[in-house]
Amino acid sequence: MKKTITMILCVIMLSLSSNAFAAGKLSVEKENFHAIESYLNYGYAYAKVSNIGNKPIKVNAGVLEIYNESGDALTSSDYISAYAAYLQPGEYTYVKMYSQIENGTADDYMMTLTGKADDSRRSMRLPVETDLQLNVKSGWWTYNYMYVTVTNNTSEPVFDISVVMALLDKEGNILYIDDDSLYSTRALMPGSSIMIRADIPSSFMDYFKIEGYVPSSVDAIAYVNVDND
């Protein structure tokens, strides 16, 4: 399968003087596409994007298009999961898009992402530790777990914590992305930690074996989107 990605980066330039500009700018650090066959067939596009500019930028929107071997469009979607979407200069995050493939076989794809200048909010990040445990036996079943431990290093209770977990191989390819949230009803107290566990679906693990991917590590971002004062 061909694996290509096109990023269209919409950046609002802010004039500082007659001959100087500053702006946020998105850069693709890694991208991967996986067509997963199960009861229903889906194409998943993952990207790791960074703000290489010198102003805040928000990952704003996206379009995923999936094509067959002849270059005909099989499906498309504009639903995007952009985690910790408010990027300060030097920060990175993960993006996930997917679409059901009802007929045909995926051979190529294009994912288009747009960003916009936005300093009204920021994604406040909390410290994390990660772990990957594969082939965990429990009774008759075998599980493959991604673990993330989140610590509140602030002096106040923190509500609305969200976590994105990216499963990576040794080359940093993004194999799978999952997420979780404490929502607005639960807070992590100052100095406290919480462990979050996510099970990697068997359909993905079967796909990794067929394609020769070997899960190696987990990267995670724990964050809360807050208003800038």
Side-chain angles (χ1 to χ4, degrees):
M1 179 187 296
K2 302 174 186 175
K3 294 184 179 180
T4 59
I5 190 167
T6 298
M7 301 288 294
I8 300 177
L9 309 177
C10 296
V11 179
I12 299 177
M13 305 298 289
L14 304 177
S15 177
L16 298 182
S17 66
S18 60
N19 57 4
F21 296 89
K25 184 178 181 181
L26 296 180
S27 173
V28 183
E29 306 299 328
K30 203 72 176 181
E31 49 84 10
N32 294 97
F33 178 82
H34 307 294
I36 306 297
E37 297 183 2
S38 185
Y39 299 106
L40 298 175
N41 300 332
Y42 282 88
Y44 295 84
Y46 302 133
K48 178 182 179 181
V49 295
S50 298
N51 179 3
I52 61 173
N54 56 9
K55 289 289 184 179
I57 192 171
K58 179 187 178 184
V59 183
N60 189 55
V63 175
L64 171 64
E65 298 172 286
I66 302 174
Y67 308 96
N68 62 17
E69 189 175 16
S70 300
D72 300 318
L74 295 175
T75 184
S76 65
S77 174
D78 61 2
Y79 180 79
I80 181 173
S81 296
Y83 309 96
Y86 298 89
L87 294 175
Q88 300 299 309
E91 289 184 337
Y92 73 89
T93 193
Y94 290 98
V95 172
K96 176 174 73 174
M97 299 193 71
Y98 63 92
S99 185
Q100 183 178 352
I101 304 171
E102 296 184 359
N103 297 292
T105 301
D107 184 69
D108 201 357
Y109 74 102
M110 180 170 65
M111 183 167 70
T112 304
L113 301 178
T114 62
K116 70 174 184 178
D118 191 336
D119 60 1
S120 64
R121 309 195 81 198
R122 61 187 174 92
S123 297
M124 182 185 76
R125 302 186 178 210
L126 299 172
V128 298
E129 295 181 1
T130 64
D131 189 23
L132 175 63
Q133 296 186 17
L134 303 176
N135 300 313
V136 178
K137 305 294 184 180
S138 179
W140 295 98
W141 306 101
T142 300
Y143 299 93
N144 298 280
Y145 290 124
M146 298 187 293
Y147 288 91
V148 181
T149 301
V150 183
T151 300
N152 179 0
N153 63 342
T154 75
S155 59
E156 300 291 337
V158 178
F159 290 88
D160 294 302
I161 297 174
S162 295
V163 178
V164 56
M165 297 159 274
L167 178 66
L168 311 176
D169 68 5
K170 289 184 178 179
E171 287 71 43
N173 292 304
I174 308 168
L175 305 183
Y176 176 67
I177 286 179
D178 204 348
D179 61 272
D180 205 343
S181 177
L182 298 185
Y183 302 104
S184 60
T185 57
R186 292 178 290 275
L188 189 61
M189 300 302 291
S192 298
S193 299
I194 187 171
M195 177 178 285
I196 295 172
R197 183 177 72 181
D199 185 28
I200 305 166
S202 59
S203 57
F204 278 82
M205 295 300 297
D206 293 341
Y207 167 82
F208 300 155
K209 292 180 181 179
I210 294 172
E211 296 295 323
Y213 289 115
V214 179
S216 178
S217 64
V218 177
D219 188 27
I221 301 171
Y223 64 97
V224 180
N225 291 327
V226 297
D227 294 333
N228 277 325
D229 295 332

